Amino acid sequence: MGDAGAAEAGRSRRSILRAVGRAGTMAGLAAGAAGTLGGLAAGGLLDDADAMPGTPVSAIGVPTDGPWRPSPAHVDVSWAVDTSQRLVALTFDDGPMPNWTPMVHDILDEERIPATFFLVGARVHDNARLIHGRMDRHAVGNHTWAHKDLTRMTHPQAYRAMHRAHTTIAEVTGKEPRLLRPPMGNIGGTTLSAAGSLGYHVVLWSLKMREAYLGHPPGRLVDYIVDNTEPGTILLAHDTGHRDRLVAIRGLPAMIRGLRARGFEFVTVPDLLAASETETATA
């Protein structure tokens, strides 16, 4: 074999070894294999220097090299619930804000339906007057302090983002949040480890308002929501944001009437989860 051939063979072997190494890394992460985080200081929190090469620290599901056991020792994640009952949970993210939050509450009061609000802690602090006296029939959830991506944070950063919001939401609303919706719906290791530390149930969604795609004519979005809601659906809406989201807010009364005509009852996310648990227990 000539020098050129030998060099090419060497490059090929190195490429194969790199590919095998990457595959082994992924398999090790998926299986939670021990020993993948060598070189850590005993009992120390992981940081960027400690994480496996190529693995962001935010992806690590166990945030410490020492003993780790949050209480409770598990985290549930729900996109929807399994139920035969025609129940749907309407949820709102990102508020409270002066632009649309009062409009949403007015509609819900008029229709006499409950919803679940995933609140941003800093906005609760700044706009407490908007929700004062208006949350009685509604449930609250934690949407972090400043709506930043938890999957890009270390465990301590994610914990602080949740805990600060938790305290503020409880103080302002009088209700302690037990649900977490991570911003953008992004879930990483730090999302789950911090949620576990605070005893949260992580709640995503199975159907959302698609205002940018279905907003014109407005009835198109109403039909999409009414036609695609199933028993146990968790429906995502927003009470602040881009102007195109106003299409969904203005269409709420028609959506509510349409779903009621199909026999659906609106409940909070905690009530939806409880209904599913009761149904499972008696099956």
Side-chain angles (χ1 to χ4, degrees), residues 32-44:
T36 57
L37 302 175
L40 298 175

Side-chain angles (χ1 to χ4, degrees), residues 33-121:
T36 57
L37 302 175
L40 298 175
L45 285 172
L46 302 176
D47 58 30
D48 288 319
D50 294 324
M52 184 184 305
T55 302
V57 65
S58 58
I60 304 301
V62 179
T64 175
D65 196 38
W68 164 252
R69 186 181 176 88
S71 181
H74 70 281
V75 176
D76 291 323
V77 181
S78 295
W79 288 263
V81 305
D82 296 317
T83 179
S84 60
Q85 302 176 68
R86 298 182 78 77
L87 303 175
V88 57
L90 177 58
T91 70
F92 293 91
D93 283 10
D94 299 353
M97 288 290 280
N99 47 4
W100 306 335
T101 299
M103 186 188 312
V104 169
H105 277 285
D106 288 346
I107 294 170
L108 298 178
D109 287 348
E110 185 173 346
E111 298 292 340
R112 301 188 63 79
I113 68 168
T116 304
F117 288 84
F118 288 91
L119 302 168
V120 176

